[in-house]
Amino acid sequence: MTRLLCTRCGTEYPASLPRWKCDCGGLLDLEMAAAFPREKIQARPPTLWRYREALPVADDKGIVTFGEGFTPLVPFKLGGVEALVKQDQIFPTGSYKDRGAAVLVSKAKELGIRSVVEDSSGNAGCAIAAWCARAGIACQIFVPASTSPAKTAQISMYGAELVLVPGSREDTARAVWMAAQTKYYASHSWNPFFFHGTKTWAFEVWEQLGWRAPDTVILPAGNGTLLLGAWVGFAELLKAGEIQSVPKIVAVQAERSAPLAKAFHEKLDYIPAIDKKYTLAEGIAIAEPARGLQILQAVRETGGDILTVNEEEIEISLIDISRQGAYIEPTAAATTAAAARYLREKRDSELVATVFTGHGLKSTEKMLKVLEYHQDE
Ligand SMILES: Cc1ncc(COP(=O)(O)O)c(C=O)c1O
Ligand SMILES: [Zn+2]
């Protein structure tokens, strides 16, 4: 049975309703019975849709796809120590957000939705805009006026209506909120279908490791859309008896924007207000993550941790990875910087998986600044 469940008051709604929040204002989670028939999975094309029995789209005809997913899981040295890294920067729009957009927009099409709104630091907006273009759904994308031009150009080229909002990422979230009262909110933080796309990260890692889970996953935590998806995915694999336990989840924040790290280390049961400062990692600079408490729960329940990285560590990791031939955006280097630190202290036998979340071509202006600063190295 597939149903929407309010995380605040417990009200249930059928998943066939075009609904992204509860009447009480609470966040909705999607619950479904996921199955993993290995022979069928292996016989299908290498896309995220191979986990068909675990994806909440009723009819194959409704699937909106570019053949995305099943990104390579490649060993890389992070700060000199090897880890397995999902190459999610090679998705069609250049970030892992395509996982969420593929499932969410397929579902929106199935529900007969003609027009959506979304807000983003850039990459989720690119992903929703691309899938809406393919689905023939109108979309309006709200982003902070300071968003990298590569991302705003990409959104506009897909034919989406771009709304530039002056001020912070939180100002953008408030602006879209008004629009979302009358339109379907294709939100990567509110809409539960997005997480049932990002959960495919866990399924792919599980299959690529020979049907087993890693011991530890290191993932970014801005709004936690990949992290929470991975948590859902591994939990579904556990429930189906496919793995023995959910991996330890290590979340990463930029030191200059780290409300979740503060909550975790001070053992708070709320997300504290922070004084957010500029960071190279624009994609994870989220002061008020809508699902912050769920992120804390995922980290706490799996015995994980929340690491913070400073600007220098991000730059060093970005250069380290570029010199190995991978071009990732600075936000993605926040996660690899934290992974480099984690890997230095891990147990020898510990199997760690992490991710390159976004493509370097999105951030040419930032790359030029990093090059200028490090030109003597
Ligand atoms: C490249 C990149 N990495 C990581 C993240 C962090 O994702 P989340 O906010 O879902 O935690 C984002 C979000 O926009 C991103 O664009
Ligand atoms: Zn409710």
Side-chain angles (χ1 to χ4, degrees), residues 96-97 121 123 220-226 283-284 286 329 331-332 357-358:
Y96 77 85
K97 305 276 187 184
S121 65
N123 281 333
N223 276 309
T225 53
L226 181 57
I284 50 171
I286 307 293
E329 67 165 283
T331 296
T357 52

Side-chain angles (χ1 to χ4, degrees), residues 117-277:
V117 292
E118 156 73 322
D119 60 317
S120 164
S121 65
N123 281 333
C126 292
I128 294 290
W131 260 263
C132 280
R134 192 141 175 95
I137 294 175
C139 84
Q140 206 181 21
I141 307 286
F142 291 63
V143 298
S146 59
T147 302
S148 291
K151 296 177 187 173
T152 53
Q154 194 179 353
I155 291 166
S156 300
M157 285 300 284
Y158 290 134
E161 185 190 333
L162 180 73
V163 185
L164 294 173
V165 183
S168 68
R169 176 67 183 83
E170 288 64 47
D171 292 323
T172 300
R174 279 185 278 277
V176 81
W177 194 255
M178 300 306 291
Q181 302 312 310
T182 52
K183 290 216 176 107
Y184 189 67
Y185 191 17
S187 168
H188 58 292
S189 46
W190 276 86
N191 197 306
F193 288 100
F194 199 92
F195 301 90
H196 284 255
T198 54
K199 74 182 179 184
T200 57
W201 187 88
F203 302 161
E204 291 176 18
V205 171
W206 163 72
E207 182 178 350
Q208 287 166 325
L209 289 177
W211 314 109
R212 73 182 175 116
D215 299 308
T216 305
V217 295
I218 305 179
L219 298 169
N223 276 309
T225 53
L226 181 57
L227 185 149
L228 290 173
W231 190 42
V232 169
F234 284 118
E236 286 183 350
L237 287 167
L238 181 70
K239 197 167 174 203
E242 299 288 349
I243 57 174
Q244 311 302 318
S245 62
V246 172
K248 177 160 95 172
I249 296 179
V250 176
V252 182
Q253 298 217 284
E255 198 175 279
R256 294 173 142 228
S257 175
L260 297 166
K262 185 170 163 63
F264 181 73
H265 294 292
E266 294 179 12
K267 300 189 168 47
L268 308 177
D269 57 5
Y270 63 93
I271 309 302
I274 55 152
D275 178 19
K276 183 169 88 174
K277 307 217 172 59

Side-chain angles (χ1 to χ4, degrees), residues 31-37 51 53-55 199 203 233 236-237 239-240:
E31 284 190 356
M32 64 174 290
F36 301 91
Y51 310 102
E53 293 78 7
L55 295 173
K199 74 182 179 184
F203 302 161
E236 286 183 350
L237 287 167
K239 197 167 174 203

Side-chain angles (χ1 to χ4, degrees), residues 277-290:
K277 307 217 172 59
Y278 171 81
T279 167
L280 259 180
E282 65 178 21
I284 50 171
I286 307 293
E288 298 165 14

